[in-house]
Amino acid sequence: GIFPTFDDTLRLQEDYSLGFTRKTPDDGFAIYGGKGKYYDDIHLSHQGLKGSGNFEYLTSKAAANEIFFFPDSANLFTQTFSITEVLEGIEFPEVKNTETYAHFEPYNDRLNIYKTKDDFNFYKPQSTFDGDLLMRPTGLTGGGIMSLDKAKVNANLFTYNANWFGSDVASLRVFEESGDLAFKANDLKTHIDLEMREGVFHSNGSDSYVELPANQYISYIDKLKWAIDEESLTLGDEVATGEGSEFVSISPTQDSLSFFAKTAFYSLKDYIIHANGVESIVVADAIISPDSGIVTVAKKAVIETLYGANILADNLTEYHTFTNAVVDIKSAHDYIASGDYTYKDAMNNEQQIFFKEIRVQDTITIARGDVSTDKVFHIDSKFDFKGSIDLIADQKHLTFDGYF
């Protein structure tokens, strides 16, 4: 039954039906065989078996002016709703709201709670939730949008514990003070700890990626760590094997320029990508290797100048290598640089040439350097050279323009 057995007198009600109006004992009635508890008014008429009072299920409490009791369920239109935090065993977070609609299925051990007006307040309240909840003895779940600080997390299915919530598939959006989108992560396995104040996200596959609008880049990540109070992100996993996270420019001027980084640090205060473990960047026909594997990307897709880099050109023949190069990468097909070059003469002796201009012409790297008049440059054991030296990446030999 719905209520325990009790005696009462049927009387004529306002709708001319036979029924009754009564109160529960002070300690309430156990309802549906002890699945829940109810306090206060009970009313029976042609309108059905109704209540106006307080309802309890597990650690939840609801106050409702209108409750409809059915043999296998109950519907509540609440004025207040809350879940008390449980820290041990099956955990539950602290949750509060005002007007909700709740549907209780006692014999299925389910309490569905639907938002009708205001968002739910979660975690005392460090966050709010725009969506619907399901409470069961196994825990609390829900689907909708969790909001905390300047961030929103969207998922069809969240799992909630006392201090954290997570989802197998979720999207994260972080906003600037102005309300503009600062960062977006799509299709990630999500775990956000409100006590530790951090979020950890893992890739679900090729559809998992991060958008960095200020930098005009996206990144296909394996792991993301979000330090909530520091407003910073760490992209990638230092201990993982493989190339790391791929960063791809979406700037229309950079022709999908891309590179892989083991990790990257990103501050939501200055919007600069600090990428580490970058082995190389392919630009036109050249393979550019940054010094110490460090690449910095500022706003509007600007890659800051690389110092001490190596350039291998071209990427098919690999005839030529520049070292200690200063490189400005413009796009996937364009860069300008200067750097040192080791020339081997006919006797296999090595000499250094500084190429002051290295650039791309018709997708091919070309370079020009000069040998000053006060410097001795040996082409072989018999000839010294003064003048300009030209290099074309897909040609093995240099071109000398000067005099001996």
Side-chain angles (χ1 to χ4, degrees):
I2 300 172
F3 296 103
T5 301
F6 59 82
D7 293 325
D8 210 309
T9 302
L10 295 177
R11 295 179 176 87
L12 189 65
Q13 305 298 304
E14 291 182 0
D15 60 2
Y16 302 104
S17 64
L18 288 176
F20 61 83
T21 299
R22 65 159 294 160
K23 286 186 177 292
T24 67
D26 290 343
D27 59 352
F29 272 151
I31 57 176
Y32 299 105
K35 295 290 187 178
K37 202 159 191 180
Y38 175 70
Y39 302 80
D40 293 332
D41 296 335
I42 305 171
H43 180 67
L44 176 67
S45 70
H46 271 323
Q47 294 180 9
L49 184 60
K50 297 174 63 177
S52 175
N54 297 298
F55 165 87
E56 296 178 359
Y57 173 65
L58 300 175
T59 67
S60 71
K61 295 181 180 180
N65 291 335
E66 195 169 45
I67 304 174
F68 292 90
F69 294 102
F70 302 99
D72 62 350
S73 62
N75 295 333
L76 300 83
F77 297 87
T78 76
Q79 282 68 60
T80 63
F81 176 84
S82 66
I83 298 175
T84 302
E85 180 184 72
V86 178
L87 294 171
E88 296 179 352
I90 303 298
E91 296 184 12
F92 287 92
E94 180 182 287
V95 181
K96 292 183 179 180
N97 206 339
T98 53
E99 297 180 20
T100 68
Y101 165 67
H103 178 66
F104 180 45
E105 297 180 11
Y107 304 119
N108 292 322
D109 280 316
R110 297 169 59 96
L111 177 64
N112 291 90
I113 312 101
Y114 303 94
K115 167 192 167 180
T116 59
K117 185 180 179 182
D118 298 325
D119 290 348
F120 293 89
N121 288 316
F122 267 76
Y123 301 109
K124 302 180 182 178
Q126 296 185 63
S127 63
T128 60
F129 175 63
D130 181 6
D132 303 320
L133 298 172
L134 171 61
M135 190 177 195
R136 306 192 72 175
T138 53
L140 183 69
T141 59
I145 301 172
M146 291 291 294
S147 299
L148 54 158
D149 299 325
K150 293 180 287 185
K152 293 184 182 295
V153 187
N154 186 16
N156 292 327
L157 180 62
F158 287 112
T159 300
Y160 299 97
N161 274 36
N163 295 306
W164 62 264
F165 65 93
S167 176
D168 285 341
V169 182
S171 296
L172 168 69
R173 291 173 292 163
V174 180
F175 298 89
E176 301 178 19
E177 292 287 354
S178 64
D180 293 334
L181 184 66
F183 168 83
K184 183 178 180 181
N186 302 281
D187 189 23
L188 299 173
K189 187 173 182 179
T190 302
H191 179 98
I192 297 178
D193 192 314
L194 277 301
E195 186 173 50
M196 300 293 293
R197 302 290 293 168
E198 71 174 24
V200 178
F201 306 82
H202 290 90
S203 171
N204 279 321
S206 60
D207 291 332
S208 299
Y209 64 95
V210 167
E211 298 178 36
L212 304 168
N215 309 82
Q216 296 179 287
Y217 263 76
I218 62 174
S219 176
Y220 296 92
I221 63 167
D222 46 9
K223 182 181 178 181
L224 166 67
K225 186 176 180 180
W226 174 34
I228 297 173
D229 293 333
E230 289 79 8
E231 298 185 71
S232 65
L233 306 161
T234 302
L235 294 82
D237 190 346
E238 291 180 332
V239 299
T241 57
E243 295 178 293
S245 302
E246 183 181 16
F247 288 80
V248 182
S249 172
I250 55 174
S251 168
T253 65
Q254 289 194 333
D255 304 308
S256 299
L257 174 69
S258 66
F259 59 87
F260 284 87
K262 282 289 186 184
T263 61
F265 178 81
Y266 188 71
S267 172
L268 296 167
K269 297 176 181 178
D270 60 16
Y271 305 105
I272 296 176
I273 304 170
H274 298 275
N276 299 286
V278 181
E279 293 186 1
S280 64
I281 305 175
V282 177
V283 181
D285 65 341
I287 300 173
I288 300 171
S289 300
D291 180 43
S292 303
I294 296 172
V295 174
T296 303
V297 184
K299 288 183 175 181
K300 298 182 180 179
V302 175
I303 296 183
E304 294 187 0
T305 302
L306 303 178
Y307 294 93
N310 290 340
I311 304 172
L312 178 64
D314 63 13
N315 54 355
L316 294 177
T317 63
E318 300 184 356
Y319 285 146
H320 307 289
T321 300
F322 301 94
T323 60
N324 196 32
V326 178
V327 185
D328 284 308
I329 297 174
K330 303 299 183 182
S331 74
H333 306 298
D334 187 26
Y335 73 96
I336 56 174
S338 62
D340 297 327
Y341 182 90
T342 301
Y343 172 76
K344 290 185 178 181
D345 63 20
M347 305 300 293
N348 216 30
N349 297 314
E350 293 184 351
Q351 298 174 86
Q352 294 295 313
I353 305 171
F354 176 71
F355 282 88
K356 64 181 180 180
E357 182 185 17
I358 307 170
R359 61 187 178 90
V360 178
Q361 179 176 291
D362 297 327
T363 71
I364 299 172
T365 293
I366 62 173
R368 166 160 284 207
D370 295 305
V371 176
S372 59
T373 56
D374 59 348
K375 183 178 180 180
V376 177
F377 184 84
H378 304 289
I379 289 184
D380 56 27
S381 60
K382 297 181 179 180
F383 295 97
D384 294 338
F385 173 77
K386 309 291 183 184
S388 298
I389 303 173
D390 291 313
L391 178 152
I392 301 175
D394 61 354
Q395 296 179 18
K396 186 173 184 178
H397 299 292
L398 306 182
T399 301
F400 298 87
D401 184 7
Y403 59 93
F404 298 97

